[in-house]
Amino acid sequence: MPKRLHELALPKGNITPDCEICGKKATTKCEECRVTHYCGQEHKQVDAISFHKTVCDKMKYIKAEHLLPFTETDRIALEENIMKTKQEVMSIAETTTRKWLLERKPVNAYPSAMICWNMACEMESPNSEEVILPICQVAEVFLKLGETEAATEYMVQASWISQNYETLPPVVLAKLHRLRGIVLMANKKWSEARRSFAEFVYITAVEYGITNIRMGIPYGLLGVSLLKLGNVPGAMASFHKMADKWLDFLLSQFKEKLMRTATENDMANDKNIQELEFQYLEGKFVFEQMYEVVRGIPMHPETDLINFKILCFQAMCRIREGIPKDSIVFKEEALVAATRTRQDSAVSNSCVSLLTEVLGEDYLLKWDKKNKRPRTVATKYLEKIQAINV
């Protein structure tokens, strides 16, 4: 049988392992794998709830004491298997972190973000290209936890590492510029944030094309930064680009009877579906930001139109998520916004009839009756909606 490593080859003395999450001295560990250590019950419980259960067996394989291989070929095969398992854990950690962040649960995202970063450092080096994205995730977790200073430090670290490379993959550059932008926004550095978001728009357009749904979020974030700088026309133009892309997408899903939230199995089996769902969740958050900043602008036809589009998006989100009753309040606000628009010269496109179908012509009449207004008013609302170029 293969022999275990001789005791003389092992480090001497009592070696206290570090916490998998924060790096402090560990005092407890997972009872299942017995190789994942924590500084206390708090980190142990959070990791158990948010991440560790999905990778417990993999962590055991990575950190377990393996039998000494007979041959060099066996040794190489063992190392390759361990490396492959680490890559799987990193991939799961990255996806889990993103999921928790989009569900607005940064406390749950913290363990997977830190483990992803630590494992990237183990596999490569602390200053390698592969570490940039994990650091970006850690920075975003701290930002969502309200620790802006720590988030800024991690953002600077990721930016510094990126300076060591003449070229980086577009996906890395895009996420780096996005992170810079949101961290700078948190620090109220609007002008610098605008430049980062502009780079985010450019890189995304070059990589995916200007018609891709991925362009929505960069446009939305750019619009928020422009509005903070007082550039209302520029902000409105960016907001319209984002709103149009997402309305077109949701209306096409409605037309094809695919307007539903993707299941966990759907996302596990198809990375494209997973990415689209993540884009959708982040898009919802950006739309909420847009809605809040637009509401702070004095009313005029342009803001009424973007408000109408945002409210239609919110209504369709509720329908997509299987909670149509929750869409009623957004429908009502959308109808009110529609009556204030002055888009008489707008040209309708193929999406208008679908949008009317989503809002519901019958619903307009019910809304009219509920508010004790003449039927002609409801008809006017319908005509206004049909006249808007969405």
Side-chain angles (χ1 to χ4, degrees):
M1 290 182 62
K3 296 181 179 180
R4 294 185 179 276
L5 290 173
H6 195 275
E7 290 182 358
L8 292 176
L10 299 174
K12 305 301 182 290
N14 294 324
I15 299 176
T16 305
D18 295 332
C19 176
E20 197 75 35
I21 309 302
C22 65
K24 295 179 181 178
K25 294 300 180 184
T27 60
T28 185
K29 61 185 175 183
C30 170
E31 286 77 12
E32 294 294 327
C33 66
R34 305 189 69 80
V35 295
T36 306
H37 297 81
Y38 305 97
C39 60
Q41 289 298 320
E42 182 180 357
H43 280 177
K44 181 180 179 181
Q45 290 172 2
V46 171
D47 193 23
I49 293 169
S50 64
F51 177 63
H52 185 69
K53 286 182 180 179
T54 59
V55 296
C56 187
D57 290 341
K58 295 181 187 297
M59 295 296 286
K60 183 176 182 179
Y61 178 75
I62 291 170
K63 296 190 175 186
E65 181 183 341
H66 294 279
L67 297 176
L68 188 64
F70 272 121
T71 65
E72 180 69 7
T73 302
D74 292 339
R75 183 189 66 78
I76 293 172
L78 177 61
E79 288 182 353
E80 288 177 349
N81 287 335
I82 292 175
M83 183 65 71
K84 181 181 178 181
T85 307
K86 284 184 176 181
Q87 290 171 342
E88 290 173 358
V89 170
M90 271 191 64
S91 177
I92 296 170
E94 188 273 334
T95 301
T96 302
T97 302
R98 196 173 175 191
K99 171 181 172 290
W100 286 122
L101 284 172
L102 292 171
E103 292 182 5
R104 306 178 197 188
K105 296 178 180 178
V107 172
N108 290 356
Y110 180 67
S112 53
M114 296 303 293
I115 289 170
C116 185
W117 180 33
N118 292 334
M119 198 153 287
C121 291
E122 286 179 16
M123 292 172 62
E124 304 296 336
S125 75
N127 295 323
S128 66
E129 172 189 320
E130 289 75 14
V131 174
I132 295 175
L133 290 184
I135 294 178
C136 287
Q137 282 199 321
V138 172
E140 190 166 358
V141 168
F142 277 103
L143 189 64
K144 300 297 184 184
L145 288 170
E147 299 185 28
T148 306
E149 186 175 343
T152 303
E153 290 177 3
Y154 282 112
M155 183 269 288
V156 171
Q157 184 178 352
S159 298
W160 180 82
I161 294 172
S162 71
Q163 298 302 311
N164 297 327
Y165 298 89
E166 291 185 7
T167 59
L168 286 170
V171 65
V172 175
L173 284 173
K175 291 188 177 182
L176 186 58
H177 284 296
R178 173 188 168 277
L179 174 69
R180 283 177 182 164
I182 60 176
V183 171
L184 289 166
M185 287 274 284
N187 285 291
K188 298 184 179 181
K189 296 181 178 180
W190 316 124
S191 183
E192 294 175 47
R194 178 196 59 189
R195 286 195 292 271
S196 291
F197 289 139
E199 289 288 343
F200 185 25
V201 169
Y202 173 74
I203 293 166
T204 306
V206 170
E207 181 66 10
Y208 301 106
I210 59 173
T211 60
N212 193 284
I213 191 67
R214 293 172 187 255
M215 289 297 299
I217 291 167
Y219 277 131
L221 292 172
L222 177 62
V224 173
S225 64
L226 287 169
L227 201 55
K228 292 291 185 180
L229 289 167
N231 186 347
V232 176
M236 291 299 108
S238 294
F239 289 161
H240 279 298
K241 287 180 182 294
M242 177 175 183
D244 290 344
K245 289 187 183 302
W246 275 102
L247 283 174
D248 287 348
F249 169 73
L250 290 177
L251 288 167
S252 67
Q253 279 202 328
F254 181 83
K255 181 179 180 180
E256 296 168 10
K257 302 188 185 303
L258 297 173
M259 200 166 170
R260 64 176 181 83
T261 303
T263 64
E264 292 289 339
N265 286 336
D266 291 337
M267 292 190 285
N269 295 329
D270 192 325
K271 292 295 182 183
N272 290 328
I273 292 177
Q274 182 187 82
E275 178 59 31
L276 184 60
E277 199 64 25
F278 284 160
Q279 288 281 323
Y280 167 74
L281 290 172
E282 187 172 359
K284 279 182 64 178
F285 177 70
V286 176
F287 266 104
E288 289 173 12
Q289 286 183 296
M290 287 164 51
Y291 185 55
E292 289 301 317
V293 295
V294 170
R295 289 184 71 176
I297 305 174
M299 289 190 298
H300 60 78
E302 192 66 20
T303 56
D304 285 334
L305 180 56
I306 191 61
N307 258 330
F308 172 72
K309 291 181 179 181
I310 293 171
L311 291 163
C312 285
F313 172 82
Q314 297 287 7
M316 285 189 282
C317 284
R318 273 51 181 190
I319 295 170
R320 184 178 188 268
E321 293 163 11
I323 44 176
K325 288 184 178 179
D326 291 355
S327 70
I328 292 175
V329 64
F330 295 106
K331 287 181 178 181
E332 290 184 349
E333 288 191 47
L335 292 170
V336 172
T339 63
R340 293 198 301 260
T341 59
R342 297 291 182 271
Q343 300 293 316
D344 299 330
S345 60
V347 179
S348 301
N349 62 20
S350 58
C351 290
V352 172
S353 59
L354 285 172
L355 182 56
T356 305
E357 188 177 349
V358 172
L359 290 174
E361 188 171 353
D362 291 341
Y363 172 78
L364 296 178
L365 299 177
K366 291 177 183 177
W367 185 88
D368 163 51
K369 184 177 180 181
K370 174 184 173 184
N371 290 276
K372 298 180 180 179
R373 297 190 180 184
R375 178 167 295 191
T376 53
V377 176
T379 305
K380 180 181 177 183
Y381 290 165
L382 182 58
E383 290 172 352
K384 285 287 186 182
I385 292 171
Q386 290 174 329
I388 292 173
N389 180 15
V390 297

